[in-house]
Amino acid sequence: MNNLQITHEETKKALTDCVAQIRRNIPEYTDKSQNHSSIHGFYPACGNTQWTCGFWPGELWLAYEATRDSEFRDAALVQVQSMKNRIEKKIEVDHHDMGFLYSPSCVAAWKLVKSDDARTAALLAADQLISRYQAKGLFIQAWGTMNEPQNYRYIIDCLLNTPLLYWASRETGNKKYADIARAHTRTCMKNSIRPDGSTYHTFFMDADTGKPLRGATCQGYSDDSVWARGQAWGVYGSALAYRYDTQPAHLESFHRTLEFFLSKLPDDSVPYWDMIFTGDNAVHDGETEPRDSSSASIVCCGMLDMAVQLKKTDAEKYAQEIEKYMKTARVMLKSLADKYAVKDNTKSNGLVLHGTYSKKSPYNTCTPEGVDECVSWGDYFYMEALTRLNNPDWNLYW
């Protein structure tokens, strides 16, 4: 791994570049959402129907925090109204991704500008999320018709949806939301993390008994490989679990998933889309495999968040770990800023190149799209990681 770390000045410059690109993009996405991934470097505008539509508003809020420019706040509040309309009318919300949708858009708006509409929308989203809780098995069902055996499963991504439930419990004083978040997290960490610290993307449960059945993938290369973004969700999700429920098991899950992730990185610290591919020029079936820059940004956020938590827990005891996480995050962000960030806005309106949304393999079921493109969550988490470095006291949206 290259040991060059991003400097404070480079962090500020990278964040400034993000803000400038977002400012240029506001006219195109004022009354629209941003597609989950770019096409030839540019994001099409779309309706507010995708699971990723909360990330563009999240970028607007991060830009607002960086500048306090009302242009970003006003554009983000337009998005809040769209998010409120979506949850009130139940438009494409029959799935578990309420946290991805409503934490960076509406929880952020409530925390930053006390938007009552945003708070209302986020609480409705929390109610929608717990409606998918399966008491038989103790998990939040990912998607599909409830209780059907073929849909009786969760995916590791949901660790980033559960913070919405902790927030809802704090806001309402009703512990039911947090209780479901804890139950789902326990189930996920028990079943989805393999002995070597790698993760399953999907895990099926028995609809009759609630017992665990088998791990699988939808978006990784194969059931027994390690989808890079799923591994990243495991890292950041474990850090957030520890933030809201400081159980030693959550810290252990963070250590295990992070160490596996770091062990599979090529020299520039940015993984291929599946961690079955390693080395600096991973070739399969005659073609070089694409990277997934978004996974690196997600893991950076997880390391930076855990460093903050360990400082609060016992800064002296965890000094070496804190130093490692901070250094590793700076190394990864240096690579992202130097080699992956968009430098020419005539060639892309995104923030970070070389993301992978969904790559087809002989063993998965996904639709190929967004391969070697900008991806909306990759842009958001890159900017969040820069924000965390620039402002260690940042109040996260999750």
Side-chain angles (χ1 to χ4, degrees), residues 12-172:
K12 290 199 299 182
K13 168 73 165 56
L15 188 55
T16 298
D17 290 346
C18 290
V19 169
Q21 185 78 305
I22 291 164
R23 192 186 300 276
R24 283 189 287 268
N25 285 342
I26 286 176
E28 186 167 0
Y29 310 115
T30 297
D31 298 309
K32 296 287 186 179
S33 294
Q34 189 182 70
N35 195 56
H36 50 68
S37 52
S38 64
I39 298 176
H40 304 303
F42 290 87
Y43 288 102
C46 67
N48 186 359
T49 59
Q50 300 176 3
W51 71 270
T52 56
C53 290
F55 292 115
W56 164 244
E59 292 171 50
L60 289 168
W61 286 122
L62 290 172
Y64 173 67
E65 287 203 76
T67 63
R68 293 296 163 178
D69 188 329
S70 61
E71 181 180 13
F72 298 113
R73 178 200 63 204
D74 294 347
L77 287 173
V78 172
Q79 296 292 320
V80 165
Q81 292 305 312
S82 176
M83 300 302 291
K84 183 170 182 282
N85 178 70
R86 178 172 177 174
I87 192 65
E88 286 180 339
K89 293 183 179 178
K90 298 290 183 74
I91 300 170
E92 298 292 335
V93 295
D94 193 19
H95 54 75
H96 70 155
D97 284 321
M98 297 302 103
F100 284 130
L101 285 167
Y102 286 88
S103 292
S105 61
C106 292
V107 173
W110 172 245
K111 288 184 174 182
L112 292 172
V113 299
K114 295 301 179 186
S115 164
D116 288 329
D117 283 345
R119 182 180 184 274
T120 296
L123 289 174
L124 288 173
D127 287 334
Q128 176 66 23
L129 182 54
I130 65 173
S131 75
R132 300 193 65 79
Y133 181 64
Q134 295 287 9
K136 191 181 292 183
L138 306 178
F139 68 97
I140 298 169
Q141 184 175 313
W143 55 68
T145 303
M146 295 290 284
N147 301 317
E148 289 186 353
Q150 66 269 29
N151 293 323
Y152 212 72
R153 61 180 169 184
Y154 65 88
I155 62 176
I156 198 163
D157 312 40
C158 198
L159 290 175
L160 269 289
N161 291 319
T162 54
L164 177 67
L165 301 181
Y166 289 113
W167 172 82
S169 276
R170 294 194 302 275
E171 283 297 310
T172 64

Side-chain angles (χ1 to χ4, degrees), residues 6 10 13-15 17-18 20-21 24 41 333-354 374 382 386:
I6 196 168
E10 288 171 334
K13 168 73 165 56
L15 188 55
D17 290 346
C18 290
Q21 185 78 305
R24 283 189 287 268
L333 282 167
K334 172 73 171 171
S335 183
L336 288 167
D338 287 355
K339 302 175 184 178
Y340 290 80
V342 171
K343 308 295 185 185
D344 184 349
N345 64 71
T346 67
K347 295 183 177 178
S348 176
N349 66 355
L351 303 184
V352 189
L353 301 167
H354 309 305
C374 302
Y382 172 67
L386 294 171

Side-chain angles (χ1 to χ4, degrees), residues 211-322:
K211 292 182 178 180
L213 289 177
R214 68 187 186 281
T217 196
C218 287
Q219 289 185 264
Y221 181 76
S222 63
D223 288 348
D224 58 356
S225 71
V226 185
W227 180 48
R229 191 159 77 249
Q231 190 73 19
W233 295 138
V235 173
Y236 194 8
S238 296
L240 292 172
Y242 185 74
R243 170 180 279 272
Y244 296 119
D245 188 14
T246 54
Q247 299 297 320
H250 298 163
L251 184 56
E252 180 188 0
S253 292
F254 174 81
H255 288 153
R256 293 170 59 212
T257 54
L258 176 64
E259 289 308 310
F260 184 91
F261 185 90
L262 296 179
S263 75
K264 298 297 181 181
L265 295 180
D267 281 348
D268 73 352
S269 302
V270 176
Y272 294 93
W273 71 282
D274 192 291
M275 304 194 103
I276 196 173
F277 305 112
T278 57
D280 289 325
N281 189 28
V283 177
H284 180 68
D285 288 343
E287 295 185 3
T288 300
E289 293 295 325
R291 304 295 184 104
D292 180 28
S293 56
S294 73
S295 300
S297 295
I298 294 163
V299 167
C300 284
C301 291
M303 288 188 290
L304 294 172
D305 194 71
M306 185 56 79
V308 169
Q309 294 312 305
L310 294 183
K311 285 178 184 177
K312 293 178 181 178
T313 302
D314 190 333
E316 184 174 351
K317 176 182 177 182
Y318 294 111
Q320 287 187 326
E321 289 180 47
I322 293 167

